Amino acid sequence: MDKNQGYAILKAVMLENGRGFALGEHPTAPSRYVTWACYDDKDGQRQYGWGHYGNDRTAMEQDFTDRVQDYQRIYNVGIRQTEAPGLYKYYSTQRPVDIGTFPKPPYNKPDEIFNYDQRIPVENGSFLAWGYLTYTRPLTEKQASDYELRPAPDNPDRPRPIAEQMKDAAKLAEADRGSEAPAPQRRQPDRGDR
């Protein structure tokens, strides 16, 4: 992830209109946490401004969430991408990674390029790949598809698998059911005497 004024960016949300918000941390600064409004300039460099500073991480995470939601409500825009710490991994499924076979957006050059000796099964045999690249920011869907790159399922910006989401929903439903009083049981007549 990026750094700005010594603050490591912990997460950023970019909106459909090119604007966004970021949460940063600087362990030795007088105010340890900050939320900024941000945007990418014409050269692709992230610009930050309008900082809210504080020392309570929970309060600053809430400030970050509130700023994103308020902006979405006022300007009626959706979230384009969420950036989180960690690397974004993309598999090259059609060819080995070489010159001209991967995107190089400004300020988001690949951190690592790795080629396998041959095309091998990856991600528990889900698909075959010749190699992979890692980036500090996610690629756009167009950038990935233009170069026939496939994002790794565990990238920070990828949605959780449906099975995981269903398990969480079942746990919540069970917890809700447990908090309600049980419905009275209706007594049925014994039909064996007929």
Side-chain angles (χ1 to χ4, degrees), residues 19-85:
R19 301 294 175 168
F21 293 91
L23 172 67
E25 178 183 22
H26 189 316
T28 60
S31 294
R32 184 173 181 151
Y33 300 100
V34 62
T35 63
W36 279 301
C38 60
Y39 68 94
D40 292 337
D41 67 16
K42 62 180 173 56
D43 297 324
Q45 178 69 39
R46 181 84 29 103
Q47 301 296 323
Y48 299 91
W50 297 96
H52 294 180
Y53 295 84
N55 284 311
D56 181 359
R57 181 170 180 148
T58 304
M60 295 309 291
E61 286 178 341
Q62 186 60 49
D63 181 67
F64 173 77
T65 302
D66 292 345
R67 290 182 83 175
V68 170
Q69 290 174 348
D70 289 346
Y71 192 92
Q72 284 186 282
R73 181 179 43 78
I74 292 168
Y75 295 101
N76 196 28
V77 292
I79 294 174
R80 185 182 75 216
Q81 71 186 24
T82 300
E83 301 170 9

Side-chain angles (χ1 to χ4, degrees), residues 25 48 50 60 72 75 80-81 84 92 115 119 123 133-134 138 142 144-145 155 177 192:
E25 178 183 22
Y48 299 91
W50 297 96
M60 295 309 291
Q72 284 186 282
Y75 295 101
R80 185 182 75 216
Q81 71 186 24
S92 180
N115 279 313
R119 194 172 186 205
E123 298 295 337
L133 304 102
T134 59
K142 182 172 178 7
S145 69
N155 278 355
R177 247 185 260 125

Side-chain angles (χ1 to χ4, degrees), residues 6-26:
Y7 285 84
I9 304 303
L10 300 176
K11 66 175 141 178
V13 169
M14 298 307 292
L15 303 165
E16 293 169 336
N17 65 354
R19 301 294 175 168
F21 293 91
L23 172 67
E25 178 183 22
H26 189 316

